[in-house]
Structure formats: structure tokens, C-alpha cells
Amino acid sequence: MTWFSSGVLLIFISSFAFGLIGQLRYSAWLKRTVSPNNEFNKRLLRGNDLYSFSFAGFLVFVLVNALVFWGILPRTEGAGNAASLIAMLFLLLMAVSKFVLIPKKEKNFLL
């Protein structure tokens, strides 16, 4: 059964790596095309930078947790727990940057 859990973990990590590459491309495209001349664009650029950073941090610590699971890194008492906790904090930071910092297009529903 460990081959199944390792396979699922590899698929999980590879899909997040693919998503990170797409996010980094999108962030680079935004930096080239959007000029930070107003507050909306500044928040858009900063929010996407923070989202990319937190996405990369989440992926790194999920990978560290996987290395502890596979036994490549030593299984100390706090290594897996610390990696899991930091990965969850990066996931929380991703949610905050995605849903709070990155502005949505303003729609006026009253008109």
C-alpha cells in the first residue's frame, strides 16, 4: 500500500509544481503588461507576487514533508510536524493573498 500512497503523493506534488509554473508565468506576464500607475494595479501586482511566493513556499514544505515521509530526511519528532505546520501557514497566506489582497474587477450593481 505504500506504493499507492507514494504515487498519490507524487501526483499531488507534480500537479502543484505545474500550477506553480503557471502562476510564475502569469506573474511575469502581469509585470510586463500592467503598469503600476493606480492603486488597483499596485494591489494586483503585489497580491500576485505574494501569491506566487506563498505558492512556492507551500510546495517546498510539502516536498520536505514528503521527504520525511519517504525516510530521505531523518524522522525526528518535530520535523514532519513543523513541515506540515509551515505548509499550512503558507496555504493560509495563499488564501489571504488570493481572496483579500488581489482585487476583483469592480462592478456597480446599482446602475
Side-chain angles (χ1 to χ4, degrees):
M1 203 58 156
T2 53
W3 64 270
F4 180 73
S5 58
S6 295
V8 169
L9 189 58
L10 278 174
I11 291 171
F12 183 73
I13 289 172
S14 62
S15 64
F16 271 112
F18 184 72
L20 177 63
I21 291 169
Q23 175 61 32
L24 291 175
R25 284 183 180 173
Y26 179 67
S27 247
W29 177 78
L30 276 179
K31 282 192 183 282
R32 283 193 315 264
T33 58
V34 174
S35 64
N37 55 2
N38 59 12
E39 189 61 33
F40 182 83
N41 290 346
K42 285 180 187 177
R43 281 187 62 195
L44 180 68
L45 291 172
R46 287 182 189 150
N48 274 303
D49 287 343
L50 183 63
Y51 185 74
S52 298
F53 171 74
S54 58
F55 202 153
F58 172 72
L59 185 62
V60 164
F61 281 101
V62 166
L63 187 61
V64 167
N65 202 7
L67 293 175
V68 168
F69 172 73
W70 288 321
I72 297 171
L73 291 178
R75 291 184 186 207
T76 60
E77 189 172 306
N81 291 339
S84 298
L85 178 66
I86 294 172
M88 288 301 292
L89 290 175
F90 273 115
L91 193 62
L92 179 66
L93 188 61
M94 279 174 63
V96 167
S97 65
K98 183 72 172 179
F99 298 115
V100 176
L101 294 179
I102 298 175
K104 307 294 180 245
K105 288 191 175 190
E106 296 181 29
K107 294 180 182 176
N108 192 356
F109 293 105
L110 297 175
L111 294 177

